Amino acid sequence: MKAIVERDACISCGLCESICPDVFKLDDENISTVIADPVPAGSEDCAEESKEACPTNAIIIE
């Protein structure tokens, strides 16, 4: 599984990082970035939850 953040769509709310900190982290510009590629097996559910919770649909899961 692969997670992708569309940086232009991210509004820096931090939901993804709070839901799934092993996969997402806000960078120096407060934009979400993926820190685990591929998504670890134990974090697949929270990565999907982050995608669903994102208010701007900036997260893509492949």
Side-chain angles (χ1 to χ4, degrees), residues 8-57:
D8 292 340
C10 179
I11 59 169
S12 308
C13 69
L15 272 175
C16 57
E17 183 178 22
S18 66
I19 294 169
C20 199
D22 292 336
V23 177
F24 302 100
K25 181 176 170 92
L26 295 182
D27 65 13
D28 293 339
E29 298 173 3
N30 283 328
I31 301 295
S32 180
T33 58
V34 176
I35 58 171
D37 184 24
V39 173
S43 297
E44 290 179 350
D45 288 343
C46 71
E48 286 282 355
E49 185 179 344
S50 294
K51 175 190 171 198
E52 297 302 319
C54 180
T56 61
N57 298 313

